[in-house]
Amino acid sequence: MSAQFPKPDDLIAAYVGDVMKHLPMKQRNDVGFELRALLGEELRGRAADAGRLPDEAMTLELLQGFGRPDDVAARYHPPGVPIIPPQQTVAFAWTSLVGVALQWAVTLPMAAGSGAPNWIGGWWTSYGLGAFWWPGFLVSVTMVAAFVRLRWPAAVDAWKPKLVDRDHVNRPMYAVGLGFALLGVGVWVALAWWATTYAGTNHLAGVFEFDAEFLATRAPLVLLYWAATIALFVVLIIEGRWRSLTRRIELGLTLALCALLMWIVFGGRVFVQEAANATTEGVLVLLVIALLAEAGWKLWRGRSRIRTPVVG
Amino acid sequence: MADSPQEVSAKLEQELRRGVIMLATLSQLRSAQYGYSLRQALAERGMAIEEGTLYPLLRRLEGQGLLVSEWRIEDGPPRRYYTLSAQGETLFASLTQSWRNLTGIVDGLIGDEKSRKKAAP
């Protein structure tokens, strides 16, 4: 079989065909015809300048200099509305990656601990791939935002001042929050008493029966945390504002709660029954992740926005 | 890795040229031209524009209503000839005025800088 060298016209036709694939249907034929003719003329012009007939190498040089077919097709399009604006690209990438990584960090140990023979395969086809719902969700949200920017540009283009007093305490709302906190403590204590008292006679109470060691060692610290939080609420309602000290106390309480919850999870059983125990431990791990994320967010938001540069 | 001074210079010059490509193109389309002849005309006047930039630009300008085009057969195969539309002529006049104002201002700024350097000890 002899080697077949493509003719310059065939190379141009193949290139134009690749460009046309990326063009809108109604433009394809017209642009394709024009582009093929123009590239042919360009090639003949170059060949005349070089004083020889056009060949494969000269044609390839022309076409490669013209650009990748998809890039060339993009140049034929008017500038569109980007779904993810350039200034949001890095934040979008990080939000997507961290979201997927968090889901994997939570589900992978659960799958590994299940003891199933092919746990990694099972994890990948369920939670592993399933975690990609998050980037898809973010893309959907950004598509809606892009549509709003396109449809109502005036509504989003004009800058509006956001002078929010972050230290202001909404006393009625905090009072309601305090009420719910007290109610939660009451329900929890009542549930513990009811479950412990009736575990032997009532099936439902048996489900919620607390482990005796938990009630003796770790549970009192939960009450202590609640007491501290309620005291902080009371101070905030009285003062009507956050101060640097109360912010630091809140951060300290959050970190203390995370440490306490991790001790509760890894320091022994919470409930006597396995199902209730496993579910609670999973929920508490998720809660710790959420609390740490919230603490990190608050620290980041509370930093000095404009720092004085180092002079000299 | 940071670009070399030559690369930075080439990029900045490219950005400068990008801003005037449209005006240069419109200037040559007061009479009908097809893509290749337009590129040659611009190159002869010192404004070489890559074919991969110029040909799609013609279509985009036509899409914006600044150019009109038609297929013609003159001394060769069918070619698409472009010329300014009424809207394109108005825009060309307006952009020409803006360009002259801008070059006057920038020339003044560059002149000031030169005279300041000369005055410096």
Side-chain angles (χ1 to χ4, degrees):
Chain A
M1 204 173 102
S2 62
Q4 294 283 316
F5 294 104
K7 292 177 187 168
D9 286 348
D10 294 338
L11 283 174
I12 290 175
Y15 179 83
V16 171
D18 280 350
V19 174
M20 287 168 68
K21 281 181 203 163
H22 301 283
L23 290 171
M25 196 64 82
K26 64 178 181 184
Q27 271 194 340
R28 280 186 188 176
N29 191 63
D30 207 44
V31 169
F33 191 90
E34 183 188 26
L35 188 57
R36 191 178 60 182
L38 288 169
L39 288 171
E41 290 209 49
E42 289 284 349
L43 186 62
R44 284 192 291 279
R46 285 190 185 198
D49 290 344
R52 60 190 169 95
L53 288 172
D55 56 15
E56 185 190 351
M58 190 187 287
T59 316
L60 276 177
E61 190 187 341
L62 168 71
L63 298 176
Q64 285 166 353
F66 204 78
R68 286 170 49 89
D70 49 346
D71 290 338
V72 173
R75 287 179 218 147
Y76 276 95
H77 287 278
V81 177
I83 289 179
I84 304 169
Q87 71 276 18
Q88 292 173 10
T89 306
V90 173
F92 180 89
W94 274 112
T95 311
S96 300
L97 287 173
V98 170
V100 170
L102 273 178
Q103 292 177 79
W104 286 355
V106 172
T107 55
L108 199 55
M110 281 167 51
S114 69
N118 182 23
W119 65 268
I120 188 86
W123 171 82
W124 178 245
T125 51
S126 56
Y127 296 112
L129 282 174
F132 288 101
W133 71 268
W134 175 240
F137 172 74
L138 290 178
V139 169
S140 305
V141 170
T142 53
M143 280 170 70
V144 172
F147 173 75
V148 171
R149 281 198 305 275
L150 184 66
R151 182 73 182 77
W152 298 284
V156 289
D157 283 354
W159 177 81
K160 297 180 191 74
K162 284 183 277 187
L163 299 174
V164 178
D165 181 3
R166 291 207 178 100
D167 292 333
H168 171 72
V169 167
N170 185 332
R171 284 186 166 119
M173 288 301 292
Y174 273 59
V176 171
L178 180 61
F180 275 110
L182 290 169
L183 187 67
V185 174
V187 168
W188 194 78
V189 171
L191 181 69
W193 171 82
W194 170 73
T196 310
T197 309
Y198 296 101
T201 55
N202 185 302
H203 174 69
L204 191 60
V207 171
F208 291 107
E209 184 185 3
F210 284 97
D211 181 77
E213 188 271 340
F214 168 74
L215 285 178
T217 57
R218 289 165 285 162
L221 288 179
V222 177
L223 291 173
L224 190 64
Y225 164 78
W226 275 336
T229 304
I230 287 165
L232 179 64
F233 260 75
V234 171
V235 170
L236 287 170
I237 291 169
I238 292 169
E239 293 194 342
R241 290 191 72 73
W242 282 93
R243 288 187 293 131
S244 175
L245 177 65
T246 45
R247 291 265 184 223
R248 285 204 295 272
I249 290 172
E250 188 212 17
L251 179 65
L253 282 174
T254 303
L255 296 178
L257 178 62
C258 290
L260 176 59
L261 291 178
M262 293 313 286
W263 184 37
I264 289 173
V265 170
F266 296 106
R269 304 183 70 85
V270 176
F271 289 103
V272 172
Q273 290 208 4
E274 180 53 37
N277 194 59
T279 307
T280 304
E281 287 178 355
V283 170
L284 292 182
V285 169
L286 288 177
L287 184 60
V288 168
I289 292 169
L291 285 168
L292 288 175
E294 188 200 9
W297 163 247
K298 282 182 177 171
L299 278 175
W300 181 82
R301 199 181 61 175
R303 79 203 190 290
S304 176
R305 293 293 173 96
I306 303 176
R307 293 186 297 277
T308 308
V310 179
V311 180
Chain B
M1 208 176 85
D3 291 337
S4 69
Q6 290 82 1
E7 284 171 327
V8 172
S9 169
K11 276 184 186 170
L12 292 176
E13 191 181 328
Q14 199 178 11
E15 275 183 37
L16 267 179
R17 287 169 60 84
R18 195 177 294 145
V20 296
I21 281 176
M22 191 179 78
L23 183 57
T25 304
L26 293 179
S27 74
Q28 297 304 300
L29 290 176
R30 284 169 286 183
S31 59
Q33 300 261 25
Y34 67 97
Y36 184 70
S37 67
L38 172 63
R39 203 168 90 77
Q40 298 294 101
L42 286 164
E44 278 167 16
R45 288 163 178 77
M47 189 73 189
I49 302 176
E50 285 180 10
E51 55 270 49
T53 301
L54 182 63
Y55 299 157
L57 174 67
L58 292 172
R59 287 285 177 156
R60 291 206 305 275
L61 293 176
E62 187 187 18
Q64 290 170 340
L66 303 175
L67 302 180
V68 286
S69 71
E70 61 175 351
W71 286 101
R72 280 191 216 163
I73 300 176
E74 289 184 349
D75 55 341
R79 290 169 177 142
R80 198 174 183 97
Y81 280 78
Y82 296 86
T83 188
L84 291 180
S85 66
Q87 188 188 338
E89 280 178 18
T90 309
L91 181 81
F92 174 63
S94 158
L95 285 180
T96 303
Q97 188 58 49
S98 302
W99 171 253
R100 289 190 175 133
N101 291 342
L102 194 61
T103 50
I105 291 166
V106 175
D107 281 346
L109 291 170
I110 294 169
D112 286 352
E113 189 60 27
K114 277 182 181 167
S115 55
R116 219 181 353 249
K117 275 187 181 168
K118 274 182 190 167

